[in-house]
Amino acid sequence: MANVALRRAMRDAQVGNQSLAERCGVDVKTVERWLQDETRIPHLRHQWAAAEVLGVDTSVLWPEAIRNTVKTGPDREVLTVYPYRSACPKSIWRNLISSARNEIVFAGYTNYFLWLEHPNLAKVLRRKAEQGCKIRFLIGDPDS
């Protein structure tokens, strides 16, 4: 069965087979195979390259790739999923931060909520750092 999502994204981005192949660093026949068979999932670096060229997320082009990498059995790593950040109880954030020993990484656009919900966060992080825990903040640029 054809990869309709890939074909549509290429049409919308006005990118042809040859152009996509060149920009992803693959042969044009490879792109044709991607288009002909939706179960053919490219290497991750090619998924990323194609998604960047076409301006869409990789999960749009190859949703099966996501399903193949997410564990669904009893040994899965995802324990709970919340539909939005504020649905996650404050105690979970507190426990995650207090139980960290080696490293804490805050990554995202809106980590300010932690400072509002946990007034002693600066003291806690300072104490963690003094105990040898690495503290890093990765701040996303909403315009990127």
Side-chain angles (χ1 to χ4, degrees):
M1 187 142 122
N3 188 332
V4 177
L6 177 59
R7 190 173 307 281
R8 183 178 302 123
M10 289 173 66
R11 184 195 65 221
D12 292 348
Q14 298 178 348
V15 174
N17 295 9
Q18 183 67 42
S19 178
L20 184 61
E22 289 170 1
R23 293 166 76 180
C24 290
V26 298
D27 189 86
V28 70
K29 293 248 185 235
T30 300
V31 171
E32 291 169 2
R33 285 190 285 271
W34 295 345
L35 287 164
Q36 292 169 4
D37 184 1
E38 70 179 359
T39 63
R40 183 179 288 269
I41 300 172
H43 292 286
L44 197 52
R45 69 180 178 275
H46 297 137
Q47 290 179 44
W48 291 340
E52 185 176 328
V53 168
L54 300 174
V56 296
D57 192 76
T58 58
S59 64
V60 171
L61 303 174
W62 294 283
E64 196 61 34
I66 302 298
R67 288 185 207 103
N68 291 343
T69 59
V70 174
K71 290 184 178 184
T72 57
D75 65 336
R76 67 184 192 266
E77 295 175 16
V78 176
L79 301 178
T80 306
V81 176
Y82 299 96
Y84 39 90
R85 191 262 319 143
S86 61
C88 181
K90 294 176 187 179
S91 61
I92 289 180
W93 294 107
R94 190 178 316 110
N95 290 339
L96 286 169
I97 293 167
S98 64
S99 65
R101 293 187 185 141
N102 300 321
E103 183 176 30
I104 300 174
V105 178
F106 297 96
Y109 296 105
T110 58
N111 291 324
Y112 65 87
F113 73 92
L114 287 167
W115 302 96
L116 298 174
E117 293 178 356
H118 304 280
N120 294 326
L121 184 60
K123 291 178 184 176
V124 171
L125 294 178
R126 183 179 304 115
R127 188 170 51 248
K128 287 286 185 184
E130 289 169 352
Q131 295 169 352
C133 187
K134 294 178 186 175
I135 313 287
R136 295 191 309 161
F137 288 87
L138 303 176
I139 302 172
D141 179 357
D143 294 328
S144 68

